[in-house]
Amino acid sequence: MTAHFRRTLLVRAVRPYRSAGHFAWRFAKGKLEGDPVFFGLLEHSLIPDAGRLIDLGCGQGLLASWLLEARALHESGNWPAHWPAAPKVENIWGLELMQKDVDRARAALGERAQFDQGDIRTADFGKADVAIILDVLHYISYEAQEDVLRRIRAALPAGGTFITRIGDAAGGLPFYYSNWVDRVIFFLRGHRLDRIYCRTLDEWLEVLQRCGFEARSLPMHKGTPFCSVMLIAKAV
Ligand SMILES: C[S@@+](CC[C@H](N)C(=O)[O-])C[C@H]1O[C@@H](n2cnc3c(N)ncnc32)[C@H](O)[C@@H]1O
């Protein structure tokens, strides 16, 4: 992907956050520029076309902004020829614990996606074709993780896609560094955090299998000091 195109997509995905306040805009800019997951999802064509995509623990809705702008650029013909098509997603629903983030997501994206305040441990996910959870599962207990995964499986049709990013607890120093940074940011964003619930990559793959998924992994921390791994799972 050319540097020029990358810039165009970044600028367009960040721009809606101007109407959500300075913090939201700066946060969107920093995260979309610095986190390899957003380009990674497109470059590796991880998200298929979908009627309904659910983003659980969506924060201020950055993934929705990213996918909407990517698709708009793709449809306008401004898309690198050697790149897989941007996914066509009809409805995006983001669920987020923090009302402030929901407000920012709504202020930025208006009617282009739907955002609700709620807890993934108890919310009804409805039906979906694709479910995504980026950097959230370690905040909830092991039992709750497994329950959420089973309910995602029930929300998807056979062959439906579930994508999540986790930290590999067998990842050594980069894993401990990720956790430390994560805890500081989580605290600064107003959460109370007694402990986090991590697993090794192998343990995650086992849990996914138990919950009705066939999963593969893909490292997703290029250019960062972290050890994040993407799990791409198909509902069996
Ligand atoms: C590290 S942020 C990631 C945000 C978003 N997924 C992204 O990649 O931009 C984790 C998010 O999960 C949310 N979260 C944590 N526990 C949650 C829960 N039980 N239900 C819903 N959201 C939750 C937090 O409020 C926070 O916005």
Side-chain angles (χ1 to χ4, degrees):
M1 178 177 273
T2 64
H4 177 70
F5 177 77
R6 292 175 83 96
R7 195 76 232 142
T8 304
L9 177 52
L10 277 168
V11 167
R12 286 187 49 154
V14 170
R15 191 184 296 145
Y17 289 90
R18 284 202 181 278
S19 51
H22 186 70
F23 174 86
W25 177 76
R26 286 230 51 101
F27 187 81
K29 192 167 177 326
K31 181 105 194 250
L32 290 173
E33 278 179 3
D35 189 333
V37 74
F38 297 101
F39 279 110
L41 286 166
L42 298 175
E43 271 168 330
H44 296 282
S45 191
L46 299 185
I47 303 179
D49 291 349
R52 183 168 186 257
L53 177 151
I54 60 177
D55 181 10
L56 304 177
C58 66
Q60 62 176 35
L62 295 179
L63 179 66
S65 184
W66 188 251
L67 295 180
L68 288 165
E69 293 304 333
R71 186 65 199 179
L73 281 168
H74 181 263
E75 282 179 0
S76 70
N78 184 2
W79 194 255
H82 58 288
W83 263 53
K88 183 174 188 177
V89 180
E90 280 158 37
N91 292 294
I92 302 180
W93 180 61
L95 181 71
E96 165 57 43
L97 194 61
M98 302 296 274
Q99 185 63 49
K100 271 189 190 161
D101 280 315
V102 174
D103 294 342
R104 290 178 188 127
R106 287 178 177 162
L109 298 178
E111 301 289 303
R112 299 171 71 205
Q114 187 190 336
F115 298 98
D116 288 311
Q117 190 279 330
D119 189 327
I120 62 170
R121 290 170 294 191
T122 50
D124 180 356
F125 302 150
K127 291 288 174 198
D129 305 295
V130 176
I132 302 193
I133 300 188
L134 296 179
D135 308 330
V136 182
L137 283 170
H138 58 294
Y139 296 128
I140 62 176
S141 72
Y142 293 120
E143 299 76 45
Q145 288 173 0
E146 201 149 333
D147 180 60
V148 165
L149 296 179
R150 286 186 196 284
R151 288 189 296 113
I152 289 173
R153 173 63 192 87
L156 294 172
T161 301
F162 169 54
I163 298 171
T164 190
R165 185 167 67 172
I166 51 98
D168 178 3
L173 261 186
F175 170 72
Y176 293 108
Y177 181 66
S178 319
N179 279 353
W180 181 80
V181 172
D182 193 33
R183 277 172 175 274
V184 171
I185 293 175
F186 211 58
F187 176 75
L188 292 176
R189 295 179 75 197
H191 289 273
R192 206 175 144 260
L193 192 59
D194 296 325
R195 65 170 287 197
I196 50 177
Y197 301 85
C198 302
R199 303 175 192 257
T200 64
L201 173 56
D202 287 345
E203 286 166 347
W204 277 114
L205 292 171
E206 264 176 50
V207 179
L208 281 166
Q209 195 179 28
R210 267 207 305 280
C211 294
F213 292 98
E214 247 169 30
R216 65 185 171 94
S217 62
L218 182 68
M220 194 55 76
H221 51 237
K222 202 167 100 189
T224 75
F226 308 132
C227 69
S228 307
V229 180
M230 220 62 189
L231 300 175
I232 303 105
K234 290 277 170 217
V236 180

